[in-house]
Amino acid sequence: MSASGGTKAIVAALAANLAIALAKFVAYLFSGSSSMLAESVHSLADSGNQGLLLLGGKKAQREATPQHPFGYGRERYIYAFLVSIVLFSVGGMFAIYEGYEKIHDPHEIKAWYWPVGVLVFAIIAESFSFRTAIKESNLIRGGLTWTQFVRRAKAPELPVVLLEDLGALVGLILALGGVGLALLTGNGVWDGIGTLCIGVLLILIAIVLAAETKSLLLGESAGLDDVKKIEAAVVDGDTVTRLIHMRTLHLGPEELLVAAKIAVQHDDSAAEVANAINAAEERIRAAVPIARVIYLEPDVYSEQAAATGANPAKTPGGTTH
């Protein structure tokens, strides 16, 4: 995985979640709190998710093959989508089941200091993990809001870790509230309600992750900034006079396909057209280094065809991305 910041955030989250999962499970054994059991499964699922992200990053580095000529960059999207499935099934559905059982068969929490102590420790550990994810995201977020960053990021790892860590922190607060109310009232139903809330939270986060990674799997175009850079780089005003239309597609987070029809001089020789295309490709790669697969089709621009053409994909008029 070339995104070192994403890898750093994943490793930090993995280390935190493994330690927290063990601590929560020990607290469950001593206290019998369903919130602690749900939270231990949640942390274990998160640890597995971070393992999936690391595995996806490793597999995405494989070289292109005749069967997969555009490489394996989308492996990272596939494994990010698997994360949403694991979070939904293992984390969310288990927590809802456990909360339902605890509400129907409540029992008093024993050794209260175990769950409370572990939850406080977990909140501190998750806060450090969340801080790392925020710090690494800020390096590439630019002027985007956090919502825009999650929706527009082409590399899935940081948005996944951010949402997981946010969900973990909110889930810990819910668990602490459920355990606290159960201790104050002596009614174990509150522990079950806290567990149910954790399950609903995890399912909502899983749905958001699934929707965003599905869009990446289907294939997203380059960001607006990269599109503008490519448009500016293609035309030199001499050998390439106009960009007629263009399509871009992310083959992976750091690999972009560019296909465009460009206007060249009508009296250029074949050699001059070939040189113009090669020069345009060099300018595109210099402007947007992740544009690694480029197909440029030369054409002669016609103002009349542009004015009457209804389909910009077939007629030299209009620009689409």
Side-chain angles (χ1 to χ4, degrees):
M1 188 186 315
S2 61
S4 59
T7 303
K8 183 177 180 180
I10 294 171
V11 171
L14 177 60
N17 279 317
L18 285 174
I20 292 169
L22 179 61
K24 288 174 181 175
F25 190 71
V26 171
Y28 160 71
L29 293 178
F30 279 94
S31 67
S33 167
S34 67
S35 291
M36 294 308 303
L37 179 58
E39 275 295 307
S40 65
V41 173
H42 174 194
S43 294
L44 191 62
D46 280 353
S47 300
N49 288 341
Q50 277 108 44
L52 285 173
L53 292 176
L54 291 172
L55 179 61
K58 184 69 175 177
K59 285 183 171 291
Q61 294 176 354
R62 290 179 292 172
E63 296 293 331
T65 64
Q67 187 177 8
H68 296 92
F70 292 114
Y72 293 86
R74 288 194 180 183
E75 289 265 18
R76 288 165 67 177
Y77 300 151
I78 293 171
Y79 279 85
F81 188 76
L82 290 176
V83 164
S84 66
I85 296 174
V86 172
L87 196 63
F88 178 89
S89 58
V90 178
M93 296 305 292
F94 177 83
I96 287 179
Y97 169 78
E98 185 64 23
Y100 174 82
E101 289 292 315
K102 186 60 179 286
I103 290 173
H104 279 72
D105 184 23
H107 55 270
E108 185 179 354
I109 294 177
K110 300 173 291 184
W112 62 269
Y113 41 84
W114 274 100
V116 172
V118 166
L119 286 171
V120 171
F121 160 75
I123 289 173
I124 295 172
E126 284 288 359
S127 297
F128 278 107
S129 174
F130 193 37
R131 178 177 175 272
T132 301
I134 291 174
K135 182 179 178 182
E136 298 302 324
S137 298
N138 280 332
L139 297 177
I140 60 174
R141 184 166 64 98
L144 297 176
T145 65
W146 286 109
T147 301
Q148 291 172 333
F149 175 70
V150 170
R151 291 184 62 87
R152 298 182 187 179
K154 306 303 180 184
E157 291 83 8
L158 282 172
V160 168
V161 174
L162 277 169
L163 288 176
E164 278 191 348
D165 284 351
L166 177 62
L169 279 172
V170 176
L172 288 167
I173 294 171
L174 290 173
L176 188 59
V179 170
L181 287 171
L183 292 172
L184 288 173
T185 63
N187 188 351
V189 168
W190 287 108
D191 188 26
I193 292 174
T195 308
L196 273 179
C197 292
I198 293 169
V200 172
L201 171 70
L202 294 180
I203 288 175
L204 290 175
I205 291 176
I207 290 172
V208 172
L209 286 178
E212 295 305 317
T213 51
K214 174 191 172 185
S215 179
L216 292 169
L217 277 171
L218 288 174
E220 289 190 356
S221 64
L224 292 177
D225 289 342
D226 285 342
V227 168
K228 291 178 181 178
K229 290 178 182 177
I230 294 171
E231 290 175 342
V234 168
V235 179
D236 65 355
D238 182 19
T239 58
V240 179
T241 60
R242 182 185 291 267
L243 173 63
I244 299 173
H245 61 75
M246 180 175 72
R247 300 286 190 276
T248 60
L249 177 68
H250 268 274
L251 301 174
E254 284 92 32
E255 189 168 13
L256 185 66
L257 181 149
V258 179
K261 180 175 285 191
I262 58 175
V264 296
Q265 300 290 355
H266 71 279
D267 55 352
D268 282 351
S269 66
E272 289 172 330
V273 170
N275 290 334
I277 290 174
N278 291 334
E281 289 179 355
E282 291 180 5
R283 293 194 299 271
I284 292 172
R285 290 191 174 97
V288 182
I290 66 171
R292 299 176 187 173
V293 182
I294 303 173
Y295 298 106
L296 300 180
E297 178 187 353
D299 202 347
V300 177
Y301 184 75
S302 168
E303 292 286 353
Q304 182 179 2
T308 59
N311 187 347
K314 296 181 179 180
T315 306
T319 300
T320 55
H321 306 138

